[in-house]
Each structure stands twice: as C-alpha cells, then as structure tokens.
Amino acid sequence: YGTCKASEIIGNGAGGGKTKKIDKAAEDIVISEISNNYDDFCIISEEAGIKFFGKAGSNDCNKFFFVDPIDGSNNATRGIPLFATSLAFSTSRYIDDIKAGYVRNIFGEEYYAGRGKGAYKINNLDKSKPTKKILMNSDTDDIEFLGVEIASYGKNLYKISKIMQVAKHYRTVGSIALGLCYVASNALDAYLDLRPPRILDLTAAKLIIEEAGGVCFLGKENLKIDTKVKANLIAGNKNNVKKIKKILEI
C-alpha cells in the first residue's frame, strides 16, 4: 500500500487494464477464502477473468462470485486510504440474480446487503456503534453532494457539464463501490459515472443501494457479467435519478 512495490505492473488483467502487484495479492486472498468455503463455483474477477472451480462449468453452475479485489487501485498505490474490496454472490451471470453484496473499505467501514433483507453498515472505527440498517433519504430531489467520476484527461466533461451546476459540492471518490455505498448511507446524494465504468466494479454496491431504497440506473436491463462489459451509471434515490436523467436527456 502506497509503495512502488504495490504499484508494480505484473501483467494484464482480464478486464483490459494493467494488473498491479497489490491487485493480484488481494485477488489471491479472496479466491483462497472462497475456495476454502465453497465447492463447484465460478469466480469472475477483474484480474483473473472467468474461472470455474470443482465440478462447475459454463453450462452447469449456480454459484457465481463477482470480485473486484481492489476497487480504487490508484488510490491504494498512491497511499490514499480510500479503496475497497467488492464481492457479490449470484445464482447466475446476470446482475439481477445477485443475492448478496459486500463492500469493505480496507481502512474503515463495511457495507453488506441481502436481496429482500435490507442493507447494513458496520462502523469498524467506532466499536460503540453497532451494525445499523441503512435507508436512503427518499422524499427529496435536492442534490447537495454529488459523487462524480471523471475520465482520463477530462474526456467526458462535455457529457456531465449540464449536471455540474446542479449540486453544491462534488466528490471524486476514486472507488465506484465505495462511492455507491456513500450514496446508500446518505453521505452523498447521488453518483454519476459516464466514462463508462465496468459493471464488475459495482455488482455488490448496486444491490446495497437497492436494498437501502435507492436506484442504480445502468441504461440497460439485466446485464450479463463479465470483465469487460461497461455501462453508464446514475445512482441515488428515485427522485434524484429522475432529475439527473432529465437534465442529461437520458
């Protein structure tokens, strides 16, 4: 973390990006833990790609784990303590079949959700505060704090320029999973990413937002998960998402 060794490029990830040593180390740990607790499953991970374990195969598998071992790799390698591990469990490769999602801020809190069972936050920095259920503010379309991801060299600024006068404050988190969890827990009012991002980065956080009462709009229905599929993202309560879509004419 925050060292030249962590940022060392050791290959190309299945998602098309460069694999850093810190990404591979985190992925190995996640895959090892899943392998120790489950049989006959598939892992889809940003670095390793699509891999089947045990007796599972492409036509015979009902346990899928969608993994982003380090969401926010650039923060991690630069020494910015704002990055997360994202893990989702599904019964198929389709995003609407995700049953559970978990996001861990490596230096802080944890978020998790089960479909139909709500979304929760664990505050690891203050043990006096127990796990609490999180619900989004649902009756407003005010956007005071907007999370927004900007493409390299500002290439997508023209797309988001219409929305930049709506919010009072802006935050670029550098981790989509954490940014969406901040929306779910009302730290941010909405989140916008039109680069577009890989959907593998947001599989767990999408469920967390939905179980907290919000909307995660991807512009396409029930996407099939792999390492390269991308989609524009608007997240918030239903009023804020509707407002942003109207402004952007989406």
Side-chain angles (χ1 to χ4, degrees):
Y1 159 68
T3 66
C4 292
K5 185 176 181 180
S7 61
E8 179 184 341
I9 303 297
I10 60 172
N12 295 313
K18 300 294 185 182
T19 297
K20 300 180 177 72
K21 182 168 281 189
I22 193 172
D23 295 313
K24 184 62 167 62
E27 182 179 71
D28 288 346
I29 292 171
V30 173
I31 292 177
S32 175
E33 287 298 314
I34 295 173
S35 298
N36 288 337
N37 289 279
Y38 293 88
D39 298 314
D40 309 327
F41 60 90
C42 175
I43 285 178
I44 303 180
S45 179
E46 194 166 304
E47 311 307 329
I50 302 171
K51 290 190 176 298
F52 292 92
F53 294 78
K55 297 178 181 179
S58 58
N59 296 318
D60 184 21
C61 185
N62 61 4
K63 294 194 288 285
F64 292 83
F65 293 91
F66 306 137
V67 181
D68 190 351
I70 299 288
D71 183 45
S73 297
N74 289 330
N75 284 352
T77 57
R78 290 277 179 165
I80 300 171
L82 197 62
F83 54 95
T85 294
S86 171
L87 177 64
F89 172 77
S90 178
T91 53
S92 83
R93 283 184 60 181
Y94 289 91
I95 200 166
D96 288 351
D97 289 328
I98 291 174
K99 306 302 181 187
Y102 173 79
V103 175
R104 169 66 188 262
N105 181 350
I106 302 302
F107 284 91
E109 70 283 2
E110 299 170 73
Y111 302 87
Y112 66 93
R115 188 168 296 281
K117 297 182 179 180
Y120 300 84
K121 175 182 177 181
I122 304 173
N123 188 345
N124 291 313
L125 299 179
D126 186 350
K127 298 300 183 182
S128 68
K129 295 181 179 179
T131 300
K132 70 173 185 178
K133 190 171 185 177
I134 50 179
L135 291 171
M136 291 177 57
N137 297 325
S138 60
D139 58 352
T140 179
D141 65 355
D142 291 332
I143 304 175
E144 184 176 4
F145 283 85
L146 174 67
V148 58
E149 295 297 333
I150 299 173
S152 300
Y153 306 105
K155 291 179 182 178
N156 68 335
L157 283 176
Y158 73 96
K159 292 183 180 179
I160 60 177
S161 59
K162 292 181 180 179
I163 202 70
M164 297 301 282
Q165 296 181 17
V166 173
K168 185 176 180 180
H169 304 285
Y170 300 87
R171 296 292 181 267
T172 297
V173 179
S175 166
I176 297 172
L178 280 180
L180 292 179
C181 288
Y182 293 156
V183 174
S185 59
N186 298 305
L188 295 174
D189 299 309
Y191 206 83
L192 177 67
D193 191 343
L194 304 182
R195 293 176 292 173
R198 283 187 287 263
I199 61 171
L200 188 59
D201 298 345
L202 54 90
T203 50
K206 178 179 183 290
L207 180 63
I208 292 169
I209 278 193
E210 291 170 348
E211 287 296 316
V215 175
C216 193
F217 174 78
L218 299 176
K220 301 174 184 177
E221 296 295 327
N222 201 17
L223 289 162
K224 188 176 183 179
I225 307 299
D226 72 18
T227 59
K228 295 183 178 180
V229 172
K230 297 181 178 182
N232 288 325
L233 163 69
I234 304 171
N237 68 35
K238 63 180 181 179
N239 294 326
N240 283 337
V241 170
K242 182 178 179 180
K243 181 178 183 179
I244 292 172
K245 287 173 62 179
K246 183 177 181 180
I247 292 170
L248 296 178
E249 299 178 345
I250 294 176

